[in-house]
């Protein structure tokens, strides 16, 4: 009797939590296709006018394009900076370097995106180094914000392969250190690079708090425009939100797939 | 040897010129020595690979943060000596209230998220592998979505003219009409749980799956019941992960503003929204914003240290 009650409570908890997770997603899906609502608060007239309004408004389309441009650039830059660093730190025997890397990787936790943006706004807003208002300041901010994910997933991958033997073998064949990294180590880091890149893309695509402060009017990202669209009388923001959900969902599927295939522990990368 | 050329002085390598002045008695000349030198300098060379990342951090994190600290001391109306901006923070009632609101929002969402996450992880840990995998995947779903998007999702259902309120109105026009309002601190806590619960679940689940099942079996064999095991064996064993998770959740909530900003604009009195509004045209005062930013960073750093220390213990227990 008691065991049954406990099991019932456990199942109920799972149902409640999963429903809670799905509420915003499903309600956006419903709202994006709703033209008119009934008095009971349910959709009455269904249509795609929200999507049409999004497509007909140039600045909305542009913002999606800006976000789809910023995210891949952030992925590439994160790869270019973090992968060599993770490898160098992995093979180095320098204890100081290792603890410095540890501090660096935790640093983005101490500085929330807003504070990062407050600093960037004041450091790169004036003439000699004007970067605010360009996509590059947003890109670099996203590189910093997602570098811990990339670092952890690449170094988890490095721990799974025998770097020492690989490096020895390559050296004895006469390969130079850059060649070793490019032609021996990186081909073995496929899973770590894949999961890190996917996490970087989703982080960058959905990021609002830093981009809102430092991106100029012409380079407003998609989440910023969703926020601005909500000031309109129409319900175009739900159509745009659902587009964002759909893109994030594709990446969610890819991330889940990448982690189950790669044996890299997801929680070690995310927290 | 030195050779003069039209372009200036040029060193010419000659065998004698390269000979060291003193050679260790055991050292071998020739290519093997060169190889050895290469080996010895290898670790130093490999640390050079970290330079691009370090440069990005220097430009995007360190320099701007130094600017923020400097600005908190010199900028704005409270600039100059004697920490005027900081004094202003702790003497302006509206700012103090925003700090209190942010603290209670973060503490409550972390505690509630922690408790729900604990039971959710406990249930998942007791499941069969297939169901476990599915729920672990579902649990990361909210973390991939944008905060703005999630906020609008909740607004559709629980907003002022949302589904729930419309339905309550439809039920009956009672004199004090039943309504839900998510534009309060309590409502924000409810919305913040969508980030807090999945995070806590991830942290605790990994600690639970790594825990030694024999300890619970031993407790069961001496006749302890389910609840006693839960509160006297499972929870104490997970204490470091619970603390670490709480710290991380707190950091996560304290520095965030996207959700609150999407729901209510800058009207809600939170520290982060106070900072945002300092950069608008109306109340431009970067000195206050910088001082508040430094305060957040100091508090976050304390919690990050707590988080790291707790997670170190979790890791050590696993090994």
């Amino acid at each position: 009797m008691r065991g049954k009650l406990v099991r019932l409570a456990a199942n109920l908890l799972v149902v409640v939590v999963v429903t809670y997770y799905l509420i915003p997603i499903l309600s956006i899906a419903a709202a994006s296709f709703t033209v008119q609502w009934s008095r009971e608060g349910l959709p009455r007239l269904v249509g795609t006018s929200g999507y049409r309004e999004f497509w007909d408004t140039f600045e909305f389309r542009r913002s999606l394009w800006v976000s789809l441009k910023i995210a891949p650039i952030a992925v590439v830059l994160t790869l270019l900076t973090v992968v060599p660093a993770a490898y160098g730190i992995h093979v180095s025997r320098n204890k100081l370097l290792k603890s410095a890397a540890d501090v660096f990787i935790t640093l983005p936790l101490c500085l929330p995106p807003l504070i990062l943006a407050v600093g960037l706004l004041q450091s790169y807003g004036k003439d000699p180094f004007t970067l605010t208002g360009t996509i590059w300041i947003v890109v670099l901010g996203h590189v910093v914000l997602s570098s811990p994910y990339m670092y952890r997933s690449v170094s988890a991958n490095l721990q799974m392969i025998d770097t020492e033997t690989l490096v020895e073998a390559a050296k004895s064949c006469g390969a130079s250190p850059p060649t070793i990294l490019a032609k021996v180590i990186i081909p073995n880091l496929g899973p770590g690079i894949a999961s890190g890149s996917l996490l970087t893309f989703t982080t960058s695509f959905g990021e609002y708090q830093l981009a809102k402060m430092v991106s100029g009017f012409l380079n407003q990202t998609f989440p910023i425009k969703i926020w601005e669209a909500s000031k309109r009388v129409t319900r175009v923001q739900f159509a745009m939100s659902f587009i964002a959900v759909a893109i994030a969902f594709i990446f969610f599927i890819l991330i889940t797939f990448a982690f189950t295939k790669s044996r890299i522990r997801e929680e070690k990368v995310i927290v | 040897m030195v050779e003069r050329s039209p372009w200036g002085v040029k060193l010419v390598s000659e065998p004698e010129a390269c000979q060291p002045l003193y050679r260790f008695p055991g050292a071998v000349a020739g290519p093997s020595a060169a190889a050895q030198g290469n080996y010895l300098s290898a670790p130093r060379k490999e640390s050079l690979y970290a330079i691009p990342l370090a440069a990005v951090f220097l430009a995007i994190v360190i320099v701007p943060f130094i600017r923020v600290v400097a600005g908190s001391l010199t900028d704005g109306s409270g600039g100059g000596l004697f920490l005027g901006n900081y004094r202003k923070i702790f003497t302006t009632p509206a700012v103090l209230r925003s700090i209190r609101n942010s603290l209670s929002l973060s503490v409550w969402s972390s505690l509630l998220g922690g408790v729900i996450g604990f039971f959710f992880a406990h249930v998942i840990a007791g499941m069969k592998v297939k169901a476990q995998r599915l729920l672990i995947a579902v649990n990361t779903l909210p973390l991939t979505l944008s905060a703005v998007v999630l906020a609008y999702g909740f607004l559709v259902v629980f907003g002022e003219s949302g589904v729930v309120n419309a339905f309550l109105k439809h039920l009956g026009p009672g004199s004090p009409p039943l309504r839900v309002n998510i534009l309060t601190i309590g409502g924000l806590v409810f919305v913040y749980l969508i980030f807090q619960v999945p995070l806590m679940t991830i942290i605790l689940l990994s600690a639970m799956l790594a825990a030694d099942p024999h300890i619970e079996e031993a407790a069961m064999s001496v006749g302890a019941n389910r609840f006693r095991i839960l509160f006297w064996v499972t929870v104490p064993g997970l204490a470091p992960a619970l603390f670490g998770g709480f710290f991380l959740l707190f950091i996560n909530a304290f520095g965030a503003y996207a959700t609150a900003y999407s729901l209510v604009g800058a009207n809600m009195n939170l520290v982060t929204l106070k900072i945002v509004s300092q950069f608008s045209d109306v109340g431009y005062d970067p000195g206050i914003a910088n001082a508040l930013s430094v305060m957040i960073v100091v508090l976050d750093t304390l919690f990050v240290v707590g988080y790291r220390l707790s997670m170190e213990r979790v890791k050590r227990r696993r090994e």
Side-chain angles (χ1 to χ4, degrees):
Chain A
M1 181 63 210
R2 208 167 181 189
K4 249 186 192 164
L5 216 63
V6 169
R7 208 167 312 142
L8 190 73
N11 288 335
L12 197 68
L13 179 75
V14 171
V15 170
V16 167
V17 174
V18 173
T19 311
Y20 173 74
Y21 286 174
L22 293 179
I23 281 176
I25 300 168
L26 296 179
S27 60
I28 282 174
S32 72
F33 289 108
T34 303
V35 180
Q36 204 177 45
W37 296 75
S38 71
R39 291 245 315 277
E40 297 83 39
L42 295 171
R44 182 196 271 162
L45 203 67
V46 175
T48 53
S49 64
Y51 292 93
R52 226 168 313 128
E53 188 183 342
F54 159 72
W55 193 249
D56 290 340
T57 313
F58 170 68
E59 44 178 330
F60 291 164
R61 254 185 305 153
R62 182 180 59 196
S63 69
L64 179 59
W65 170 237
V66 168
S67 276
L68 287 177
K69 200 163 58 180
I70 286 178
I73 300 176
V75 170
V76 170
L77 275 182
T78 312
L79 281 172
L80 285 178
T81 51
V82 175
V83 173
Y87 166 69
I89 290 158
H90 180 75
V91 292
S92 164
R93 288 188 195 83
N94 190 344
K95 282 233 172 84
L96 196 73
L97 182 71
K98 288 197 181 209
S99 42
D102 232 28
V103 172
F104 264 80
I105 269 349
T106 358
L107 216 53
L109 268 184
C110 305
L111 284 115
L114 171 65
I115 313 296
L116 222 54
V118 166
L120 290 173
L121 209 55
Q122 298 174 75
S123 309
Y124 300 110
K126 279 194 211 103
D127 237 344
F129 310 103
T130 310
L131 277 178
T132 50
T134 66
I135 64 165
W136 295 105
I137 193 94
V138 183
V139 165
L140 288 171
H142 289 176
V143 168
V144 165
L145 291 180
S146 50
S147 58
Y149 302 129
M150 183 68 86
Y151 181 83
R152 283 192 224 120
S153 71
V154 169
S155 63
N157 200 158
L158 278 166
Q159 276 158 18
M160 294 191 319
I161 61 176
D162 187 359
T163 40
E164 211 161 307
T165 312
L166 284 174
V167 171
E168 290 288 313
K171 258 186 191 167
S172 71
C173 296
S176 67
T179 317
I180 295 175
L181 178 62
K183 295 210 165 153
V184 180
I185 300 296
I186 288 178
N188 278 294
L189 294 180
I193 286 176
S195 45
S197 303
L198 290 168
L199 284 172
T200 303
F201 191 97
T202 37
T203 312
S204 172
F205 186 74
E207 205 281 328
Y208 171 80
Q209 315 194 77
L210 183 133
K212 155 91 179 126
M213 302 288 286
V214 297
S215 74
F217 179 75
L218 290 178
N219 289 312
Q220 281 175 319
T221 60
F222 199 49
I224 301 174
K225 269 293 179 231
I226 295 179
W227 186 86
E228 290 203 344
S230 73
K231 300 288 167 276
R232 290 194 170 195
V233 201
T234 54
R235 296 186 153 240
V236 62
Q237 83 263 33
F238 295 120
M240 292 167 75
S241 298
F242 193 63
I243 292 170
V245 169
I247 292 173
F249 193 76
I250 294 169
F251 277 84
F252 160 72
I253 300 280
L254 291 175
I255 288 169
T256 311
F257 190 70
F259 276 115
T260 34
K261 279 272 161 199
S262 69
R263 288 183 297 131
I264 294 173
R265 300 266 298 278
E266 193 171 357
E267 78 275 356
K268 278 197 175 165
V269 176
I270 291 179
V271 284
Chain B
M1 284 286 275
V2 177
E3 182 190 82
R4 288 198 182 277
S5 75
W7 300 282
V9 180
K10 195 170 145 202
L11 261 174
V12 180
S13 67
E14 262 181 41
E16 314 94 79
C18 294
Q19 288 298 324
L21 292 174
Y22 175 76
R23 201 199 292 273
F24 286 107
V28 191
S32 69
Q36 246 176 29
N38 196 20
Y39 259 84
L40 285 175
S41 62
R44 198 176 292 167
K45 248 187 209 159
E46 266 136 8
S47 65
L48 293 181
Y49 288 131
I51 285 178
L53 184 63
V56 169
F57 266 72
L58 184 71
I60 302 299
V61 182
I62 313 280
V63 168
F65 183 61
I66 291 172
R67 174 69 187 80
V68 168
V69 174
S72 77
L73 299 172
T74 57
D75 280 357
S77 50
L81 286 172
F82 311 122
L83 304 173
N85 284 323
Y86 290 94
R87 253 194 302 168
K88 217 164 162 190
I89 288 179
F90 291 107
T91 49
T92 312
V95 178
L96 277 179
R97 219 172 310 126
S98 76
I99 296 175
R100 213 173 317 134
N101 282 343
S102 279
L103 281 175
S104 66
L105 172 61
S106 312
V107 169
W108 279 110
S109 70
S110 309
L111 282 178
L112 265 176
V115 171
I116 298 170
F118 170 76
F119 284 108
F120 192 45
H122 189 69
V123 171
I124 296 177
M127 284 180 161
K128 289 191 186 97
V129 179
K130 259 195 175 162
Q132 217 171 50
R133 276 210 197 126
L134 178 70
L135 281 176
I136 289 174
V138 169
N139 188 57
T140 46
L141 181 58
L143 298 177
T144 57
L145 294 174
S146 177
V148 180
V149 167
L150 288 171
Y152 289 131
F154 278 109
L155 215 51
V156 173
V157 181
F158 300 103
E160 208 181 344
S161 50
V163 176
V164 171
N165 276 332
F167 186 71
L168 286 175
K169 215 187 209 170
H170 179 73
L171 270 186
S175 46
L178 270 170
R179 313 186 60 255
V180 290
N181 185 6
I182 54 166
L183 312 181
T184 57
I185 295 289
L188 268 186
V189 169
F190 176 74
V191 176
Y192 269 38
L193 288 180
I194 200 137
F195 310 108
Q196 306 287 55
V197 173
L199 259 187
M200 195 58 151
T201 307
I202 291 177
I203 297 176
L204 289 178
L205 193 60
S206 72
M208 282 172 182
L209 293 178
D212 188 359
H214 298 304
I215 303 174
E216 284 180 20
E217 277 163 22
M220 212 172 311
S221 71
V222 292
N225 69 26
R226 211 189 277 261
F227 292 100
R228 284 197 163 203
I229 293 175
L230 186 63
F231 287 105
W232 294 104
V233 181
T234 314
V235 172
L238 289 172
L242 278 165
F243 279 113
F246 175 81
F247 290 140
L248 188 71
L249 263 51
F250 182 94
I251 300 160
N252 198 27
F254 197 71
Y257 79 93
T259 313
Y261 197 65
S262 329
L263 291 178
V264 283
N267 297 331
M268 179 85 64
N269 198 0
L270 296 176
V271 179
T272 41
L273 292 179
K274 269 265 172 312
I275 295 175
V276 173
S277 65
Q278 301 304 321
F279 287 97
S280 65
D281 300 328
V282 191
Y284 185 75
D285 190 349
I288 294 290
N290 286 330
L292 284 172
S293 301
V294 172
M295 192 199 75
I296 292 182
V297 172
V298 168
L299 199 66
D300 274 0
T301 306
L302 287 177
F303 276 74
V304 166
V305 170
Y307 164 68
R308 290 300 301 256
L309 291 178
S310 312
M311 293 325 261
E312 280 303 308
R313 289 197 62 174
V314 175
K315 223 197 258 169
R316 236 182 295 143
R317 278 199 189 173
R318 205 174 286 161
E319 286 154 4

